[in-house]
Amino acid sequence: MDKGLHFMFCVVTTVLLLRESSQTGAMRNDDAMIKANDLRGPEENLPALTVTTILEDPYVMVRSAELEGYCIDLLKALASMLHFSYKVKVVGDGKYGAISSNGNWTGMIGEILRQEADIAVAPLTVTSAREEVISFTTPFLQTGIGILLRKDTISQEMSFFHFLAPFSKETWTGLLFAYVLTCVCLFLVARLSPCEWNEPKNEENHFTFLNSLWFGAGALTLQGVTPRPKAFSVRVIAAIWWLFTIALLAAYIANFTALLSSGSEQLPIQTFEDLVKQRKLEFGTLDGSSTFYFFKNSKNPIHQMIYEYMDKRRDHVLVKTYQEAVQRVMESNYAFIGESISQDLAAARHCNLIRAPEVIGARGFGIATAQASPWTKKLSVAVLKLRESGDLDYLRNKWWESSCLHKRRDRWSPLQPQALGGLFLTLAIGLALGVIAAMVELSNKSRHAAGHVKKSCCSIFTEEMCTRLRIKENTRQTQETSGRANA
């Protein structure tokens, strides 16, 4: 009988203990609270800190009823260095911390002020307003304010004259000038060279100015055109122009191909000014965040326009959580203004998102403590040691690892004249050599003619120059003489 009663007592006691254990575990899971293991055992009585945080990927996340993320790893490293235990609780109102209408602070800042938590380890931006009521440690992450966009909503539309984009305006101007100058040199040299035009009074020169323009245009399209040059000086200019056009066309084709292949990477929204000017996308930020108050307090006209836009449409464009912001960017024509480091994570996790290049308002994430807290100095020194040892970089790479396969490309830009400077210089040298060769050919003919007519070489050279350059007058006189003879 005694043995039966003893057995029943053991069974009832075991059932009660198991029930109490399951209820305790459920309460811990519901509160999303995690206690750090005593690093030196419970007998050493380590100081215990209550840590408030906020759920935001990848800083703090719930995985299998436990918390993990960048801030949790950072907290573990700090506890190991400073020898304290801790328990983590998620902020009750889900906010970072701002002054409410009644003058009280909300979010994690409010919990520290009400002594509901000792420190806040979260992506909490260091601002002057928060620094007035609490203390911050040295920032453990540097960030700024950026623009998160969806790639297909900001694809650049092709203009009607998109084929002109491979070269800059200055390059096209230089090309036109080089073409006209080459044709003028070709026109002059073809008349000065006796090998190309031996008898100006009796022969017709095929290199008229229009024919010279046609010859240059034909070379640009790699098409052989007439007239064909006979003199060495004319051939020098023609050859150097052909070389110039071949290199120019190769540069144009290469740059145009790069433009077409990288067209999706050319964002029409590069800056906050571009965002204000466009009308296709709505834009907003987290309600009550430091980013919102940055634009509110800024004196920059562009920033003021952004704040006025968000303030007038605050019920529609302001979001409550970061996850809501990312989801809205992915599903609608919406641009999210927020912390650039968090946007980099979103772009790494979602391959159809991208952050605009401009980042403003450099700032940092710090650990918040109560004013005059003895932990502020200790935590700041510990953060600096973690940075110097490379542990912060390790955590950054660990939690910001990208799942997207990016094809790294250099940013495309129109070809500037400086890139083709050597090509234009080569053309100029070739034109000069052609003109000099034509002058040498003409001087040789003048020297031989001077021996026959017994005149000075300079006078013959001058007469030849005048005759060849006044082609219209000579042609008219020749036609009138032929008409009289026929009469």
Side-chain angles (χ1 to χ4, degrees), residues 145-202:
I145 300 176
I147 308 170
L148 185 66
L149 307 158
R150 195 172 77 247
K151 291 181 179 179
D152 56 356
T153 60
I154 44 84
S155 58
Q156 190 173 16
E157 297 180 357
M158 297 293 182
S159 65
F160 191 71
F161 295 96
H162 198 61
F163 68 94
L164 298 176
F167 291 161
S168 65
K169 295 179 180 178
E170 294 80 7
T171 304
W172 284 114
T173 303
L175 174 59
L176 179 62
F177 177 77
Y179 167 70
V180 174
L181 180 62
T182 301
C183 294
V184 170
C185 290
L186 194 65
F187 170 75
L188 294 176
V189 168
R191 276 150 182 74
L192 294 178
S193 174
C195 299
E196 187 70 36
W197 196 23
N198 189 29
E199 294 293 338
K201 297 181 180 180
N202 300 325

Side-chain angles (χ1 to χ4, degrees), residues 126-142:
V126 180
T127 65
S128 60
R130 291 170 178 172
E131 191 75 45
E132 290 179 355
V133 295
I134 61 171
S135 297
F136 280 100
T137 65
T138 300
F140 57 85
L141 269 180
Q142 298 294 332

Side-chain angles (χ1 to χ4, degrees), residues 28-36 51-76 86-91 121 398-399:
R28 290 180 179 177
N29 292 340
D30 293 339
D31 293 340
M33 183 179 295
I34 179 172
K35 289 188 177 181
V51 182
T52 180
T53 188
I54 191 170
L55 293 178
E56 181 175 330
D57 188 9
Y59 303 99
V60 179
M61 301 171 290
V62 179
R63 293 288 188 274
S64 302
E66 294 185 355
L67 298 179
E68 66 175 15
Y70 178 93
C71 289
I72 300 301
D73 287 352
L74 174 63
L75 188 56
K76 291 178 180 178
Y86 60 88
K87 62 178 180 180
V88 180
K89 70 186 187 90
V90 178
V91 61
V121 182
K398 173 184 176 181
W399 293 103

Side-chain angles (χ1 to χ4, degrees), residues 87 207 268 299 368 411 436:
K87 62 178 180 180
F207 273 97
K299 304 301 182 183
R411 185 179 173 185
I436 293 173

Side-chain angles (χ1 to χ4, degrees), residues 16 37 102 134 145 156 162 196 220 222 226 236 244 257 261 286 373 379 412 469 484 487:
L16 291 175
N37 296 325
N102 57 12
I134 61 171
I145 300 176
Q156 190 173 16
H162 198 61
E196 187 70 36
L220 280 173
L222 300 181
T226 55
V236 167
F244 177 84
T257 303
S261 61
L286 288 173
S373 171
L379 291 171
W412 179 89
L469 295 179
R484 291 173 184 176

Side-chain angles (χ1 to χ4, degrees), residues 79-350:
S80 177
M81 294 178 65
L82 300 179
H83 309 295
F84 63 85
S85 62
Y86 60 88
K87 62 178 180 180
V88 180
K89 70 186 187 90
V90 178
V91 61
D93 59 6
K95 296 182 179 181
Y96 291 87
I99 302 178
S100 62
S101 58
N102 57 12
N104 297 325
W105 281 84
T106 62
M108 292 177 283
I109 306 297
E111 290 191 350
I112 292 179
L113 293 175
R114 295 189 298 270
Q115 298 182 353
E116 298 175 7
D118 298 307
I119 62 174
V121 182
L124 193 60
T125 306
V126 180
T127 65
S128 60
R130 291 170 178 172
E131 191 75 45
E132 290 179 355
V133 295
I134 61 171
S135 297
F136 280 100
T137 65
T138 300
F140 57 85
L141 269 180
Q142 298 294 332
T143 183
I145 300 176
I147 308 170
L148 185 66
L149 307 158
R150 195 172 77 247
K151 291 181 179 179
D152 56 356
T153 60
I154 44 84
S155 58
Q156 190 173 16
E157 297 180 357
M158 297 293 182
S159 65
F160 191 71
F161 295 96
H162 198 61
F163 68 94
L164 298 176
F167 291 161
S168 65
K169 295 179 180 178
E170 294 80 7
T171 304
W172 284 114
T173 303
L175 174 59
L176 179 62
F177 177 77
Y179 167 70
V180 174
L181 180 62
T182 301
C183 294
V184 170
C185 290
L186 194 65
F187 170 75
L188 294 176
V189 168
R191 276 150 182 74
L192 294 178
S193 174
C195 299
E196 187 70 36
W197 196 23
N198 189 29
E199 294 293 338
K201 297 181 180 180
N202 300 325
E203 294 180 2
E204 180 183 359
N205 193 315
H206 298 289
F207 273 97
T208 63
F209 185 68
L210 291 178
N211 285 345
S212 299
L213 292 174
W214 180 246
F215 184 89
L220 280 173
T221 57
L222 300 181
Q223 300 295 321
V225 294
T226 55
R228 301 182 183 275
K230 296 181 292 184
F232 172 77
S233 56
V234 182
R235 289 179 178 179
V236 167
I237 293 180
I240 204 69
W241 177 245
W242 291 337
L243 177 64
F244 177 84
T245 55
I246 290 175
L248 191 72
L249 288 173
Y252 176 86
I253 294 173
N255 213 32
F256 193 58
T257 303
L259 169 63
L260 295 178
S261 61
S262 63
S264 59
E265 298 180 1
Q266 304 304 307
L267 304 180
I269 299 178
Q270 300 278 342
T271 64
F272 284 87
E273 184 177 358
D274 296 335
L275 182 65
V276 172
K277 290 180 178 178
Q278 59 83 38
R279 293 293 180 267
K280 184 178 180 181
L281 299 179
E282 296 179 324
F283 54 88
T285 187
L286 288 173
D287 189 11
S289 64
S290 60
T291 301
F292 180 80
Y293 289 101
F294 170 84
F295 288 100
K296 180 180 180 180
N297 300 326
S298 176
K299 304 301 182 183
N300 188 301
I302 299 298
H303 299 170
Q304 281 295 309
M305 293 174 64
I306 293 176
Y307 167 73
E308 292 172 1
Y309 174 90
M310 294 189 299
D311 189 50
K312 291 178 180 178
R313 303 167 178 81
R314 58 184 312 132
D315 294 335
H316 183 61
V317 299
L318 297 184
V319 293
K320 301 300 182 183
T321 64
Y322 178 77
Q323 291 78 8
E324 178 188 350
V326 173
Q327 195 69 22
R328 187 167 177 180
V329 172
M330 295 177 61
E331 295 177 353
S332 62
N333 291 336
Y334 181 78
F336 173 61
I337 302 174
E339 303 292 347
S340 60
I341 194 168
S342 300
Q343 294 176 348
D344 290 338
L345 174 71
R349 299 286 175 84
H350 306 282

